[in-house]
């Protein structure tokens, strides 16, 4: 990769590089290139949830850019620290996960990370787990880590400080988290560590510990947290403002083409490599290009284009979809079959009562025709076979026998 292109990509959408800013990163890249050495670029992730969304890919994409430039990408699975729980952003202690829960989440995390990172080319990815060095720590080594920071320094972490002021309990094992995550940088001899802006404290701890262990201290590169589709809060599955990495192409495209205008440029910056200066002037065309670009990253350009056609068809008056629409086999259901129940069984709503609300609110279509009677009932297979059932503008199911 051309050095100027690498520098543009690795700094695009970055919130902060510390210490020294972009100049420090440019200097470190230049020295590595001149000496023929590769930098060790670390991204640590705790597998606390099994499903990833686009918010998780902001750091993963940044790591891939360093991979493509020939540097060593280190994807660190925090299988040990996940059992402690990151206190960042929490007003109380996290519930502790079992080793079995962590292992299940780690497997699914890695499966989805393959959609972004190069796992296949030898030497491009170093996959590690921090249980390799943390599990075997003895009490003397743990005391040594604890002696690296004072209580006052820990309380300088915003989340701890707020909890202390409010009288919310802070448990001693939570103080171990940033120290152990920081020690990961020592164990891996990291040159650069990536993270979200909420991880800055932990990245700084890593720098401090590297200094104590007489290592060259890493640069921290932090990126913004991706705002969800609601345009207000960070992307989160629990807030239902997310785009999942394993969603079908049509659902992914349909969600992204409705991205709020105020977020479109930010999404391009954090989720693509397209220069902002080259984007269409039309707001609607920007939305469509964003949806096409991001969907193409996780499926293919051809499939993304087909999803675009499907979205047009499904939101038209005739509403005929294509084979890309997720299918639902309904033959096991008993007739007469209430529409609300069908919506629930097809996974388009959480419950039949929610289904009835969607119907009453005009959010349900069958082959593009709006169904507004909450008591609507189907009496046989023929009227459903091959039909496309739609809730809102984002969710579709093709009904098959």
């Amino acid at each position: 990769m051309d050095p100027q292109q690498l520098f543009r990509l690795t700094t695009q959408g970055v919130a902060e590089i510390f210490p020294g800013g972009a100049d420090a990163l440019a200097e470190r890249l230049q020295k590595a290139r001149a000496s023929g050495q590769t930098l060790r670029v670390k991204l640590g992730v705790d597998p606390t949830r099994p499903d990833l969304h686009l918010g998780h890919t902001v750091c993963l994409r940044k790591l891939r850019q360093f991979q493509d430039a020939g540097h060593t990408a280190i994807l660190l699975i925090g299988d040990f620290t996940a059992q402690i729980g990151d206190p960042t952003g929490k007003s109380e202690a996290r519930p502790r996960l079992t080793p079995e829960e962590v292992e299940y989440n780690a497997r699914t995390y890695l499966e989805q990370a393959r959609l972004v990172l190069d796992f296949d080319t030898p030497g491009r990815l170093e996959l590690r787990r921090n249980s390799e060095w943390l599990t075997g720590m003895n009490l003397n080594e743990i005391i040594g880590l604890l002696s690296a920071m004072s209580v006052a320094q820990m309380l300088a972490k915003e989340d701890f400080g707020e909890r202390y002021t409010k009288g919310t309990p802070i448990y001693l094992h939570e103080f171990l988290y940033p120290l152990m995550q920081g020690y990961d940088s020592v164990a891996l001899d990291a040159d650069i560590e990536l993270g979200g802006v909420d991880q800055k404290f932990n990245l700084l701890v890593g720098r401090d510990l590297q200094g104590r262990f007489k290592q060259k201290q890493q640069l921290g590169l932090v990126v913004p947290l991706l705002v969800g589709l609601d345009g207000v809060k960070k992307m989160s599955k629990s807030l239902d403002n997310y785009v999942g990495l394993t969603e079908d192409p049509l659902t992914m495209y349909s969600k992204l083409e409705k991205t709020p205008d105020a977020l479109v440029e930010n999404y391009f910056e954090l989720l693509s490599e397209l220069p902002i200066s080259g984007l269409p002037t039309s707001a609607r065309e920007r939305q469509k290009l964003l949806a096409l670009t991001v969907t193409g990253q996780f499926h293919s350009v051809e499939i993304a284009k087909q999803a675009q056609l499907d979205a047009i068809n499904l939101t038209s008056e005739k509403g005929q979809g294509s084979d890309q629409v997720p299918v639902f086999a309904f033959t096991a259901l008993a007739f007469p079959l209430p529409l609300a129940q069908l919506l629930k069984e097809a996974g388009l709503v959480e419950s039949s009562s929610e289904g009835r609300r969607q119907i009453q609110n005009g959010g349900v279509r069958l082959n593009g025709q709006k169904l507004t009677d909450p008591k609507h009932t189907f009496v046989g297979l023929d009227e459903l076979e091959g039909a496309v059932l739609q809730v809102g503008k984002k969710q579709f199911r093709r009904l098959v026998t």
Side-chain angles (χ1 to χ4, degrees), residues 248 250-255 257-258 307 310-315 319 321 324-328 346-348 365 387-399:
D248 65 89
L250 179 55
T251 301
M252 182 177 284
Y253 180 91
S254 299
K255 285 184 176 183
E257 74 164 346
K258 303 299 188 299
D310 294 340
I312 293 170
N313 288 335
L314 285 165
T315 54
Q324 293 298 326
V325 180
V327 300
F328 171 69
L348 292 169
R365 292 176 182 265
V388 173
L389 187 61
Q390 176 181 350
V391 174
K393 295 181 179 180
K394 302 177 183 178
Q395 298 192 80
F396 311 92
R397 295 291 185 274
R398 182 179 295 282
L399 304 174

Side-chain angles (χ1 to χ4, degrees), residues 87 90-94 155 159-175:
K90 296 297 176 182
S91 59
E92 56 186 21
R94 283 180 181 266
L155 292 178
D159 312 289
F160 285 148
E162 289 181 358
R163 285 165 62 182
Y164 182 76
T165 301
K166 294 178 180 178
T168 304
I170 303 171
Y171 298 94
L172 293 178
H173 76 277
E174 295 182 90
F175 281 171

Side-chain angles (χ1 to χ4, degrees), residues 58-78:
V58 179
C59 277
L60 287 170
R61 286 179 49 78
K62 200 62 65 180
L63 187 61
R64 176 61 188 260
Q65 290 161 1
F66 281 103
Q67 255 191 321
D68 290 344
H71 296 291
T72 302
I74 307 171
L75 180 60
L76 173 67
I77 300 298

Side-chain angles (χ1 to χ4, degrees), residues 26 77 86 143 209 211 243:
I77 300 298
D86 187 355
I143 291 172
L209 289 177
V243 179

Side-chain angles (χ1 to χ4, degrees), residues 195-219:
V197 290
D198 58 341
Q199 293 295 313
K200 181 177 179 179
F201 182 89
N202 296 333
L203 270 60
L204 286 169
V205 173
R207 276 184 51 82
D208 290 345
L209 289 177
Q210 284 180 316
R212 288 176 67 93
F213 282 86
K214 311 302 181 185
Q215 289 184 358
K216 184 177 182 179
Q217 292 173 293
Q218 66 186 15
L219 292 180

Side-chain angles (χ1 to χ4, degrees), residues 81-368:
T81 45
Q83 295 178 60
I84 299 174
D86 187 355
T88 301
K90 296 297 176 182
S91 59
E92 56 186 21
R94 283 180 181 266
R96 296 188 63 187
L97 298 178
T98 66
E100 293 75 20
E101 289 172 322
V102 171
E103 182 57 31
Y104 172 78
N105 292 344
R107 286 198 306 271
T108 57
Y109 189 104
L110 292 175
E111 289 170 3
Q112 293 166 80
R114 284 179 177 274
L115 297 171
V116 181
L117 298 176
D118 181 358
F119 275 63
D120 301 320
T121 306
R124 296 196 70 184
L125 180 67
E126 189 174 311
L127 185 60
R128 305 291 293 273
R129 295 178 177 234
N130 61 16
S131 59
E132 296 174 32
W133 47 86
L134 295 179
T135 300
M137 271 193 166
N138 59 40
L139 184 57
N140 189 52
E141 290 171 319
I142 293 172
I143 291 172
L145 273 185
L146 290 171
S147 68
M149 292 187 73
S150 68
V151 171
Q153 286 175 302
M154 283 290 184
L155 292 178
K157 181 175 171 61
E158 182 179 358
D159 312 289
F160 285 148
E162 289 181 358
R163 285 165 62 182
Y164 182 76
T165 301
K166 294 178 180 178
T168 304
I170 303 171
Y171 298 94
L172 293 178
H173 76 277
E174 295 182 90
F175 281 171
L176 274 173
Y177 184 90
L179 288 166
M180 288 187 164
Q181 190 185 74
Y183 185 76
D184 293 342
S185 293
V186 176
L188 294 168
D189 195 16
D191 294 300
I192 299 173
E193 182 171 9
L194 310 178
V197 290
D198 58 341
Q199 293 295 313
K200 181 177 179 179
F201 182 89
N202 296 333
L203 270 60
L204 286 169
V205 173
R207 276 184 51 82
D208 290 345
L209 289 177
Q210 284 180 316
R212 288 176 67 93
F213 282 86
K214 311 302 181 185
Q215 289 184 358
K216 184 177 182 179
Q217 292 173 293
Q218 66 186 15
L219 292 180
L221 190 155
V222 294
V223 297
L225 303 180
L226 190 70
V227 177
L229 295 173
D230 58 358
V232 180
K233 297 184 178 180
K234 75 174 183 177
M235 187 170 285
S236 167
K237 189 171 183 180
S238 62
L239 297 175
D240 196 27
N241 64 357
Y242 72 102
V243 179
L245 300 197
T246 58
E247 290 190 289
D248 65 89
L250 179 55
T251 301
M252 182 177 284
Y253 180 91
S254 299
K255 285 184 176 183
L256 285 165
E257 74 164 346
K258 303 299 188 299
T259 303
D261 292 346
L263 289 182
V264 170
E265 188 169 307
N266 179 251
Y267 274 35
F268 271 113
E269 196 170 45
L270 298 179
L271 301 175
S272 84
E273 296 182 357
L274 297 178
I276 303 301
S277 58
L279 298 180
T281 55
S282 162
R284 181 63 186 138
E285 290 305 311
R286 285 188 177 204
Q287 288 176 313
K288 290 163 64 176
L289 178 60
L290 173 67
L292 198 64
T293 300
V294 177
T295 303
Q297 291 172 4
F298 296 98
H299 297 281
S300 72
V301 174
E302 293 75 18
I303 290 176
K305 288 179 178 178
Q306 185 61 58
Q308 185 177 59
L309 292 175
D310 294 340
I312 293 170
N313 288 335
L314 285 165
T315 54
S316 69
E317 287 300 316
K318 295 183 179 179
Q320 299 300 313
S322 81
D323 291 338
Q324 293 298 326
V325 180
V327 300
F328 171 69
F330 64 93
T331 48
L333 303 180
F335 287 86
L337 177 62
L339 172 59
Q341 181 187 346
L342 176 60
L343 293 171
K344 176 182 179 297
E345 298 295 339
L348 292 169
V349 295
E350 293 292 331
S351 64
S352 295
S353 59
E354 182 188 346
R356 287 189 287 273
R357 286 196 298 272
Q358 290 282 2
I359 297 166
Q360 286 177 314
N361 293 334
V364 177
R365 292 176 182 265
L366 186 71
N367 283 341

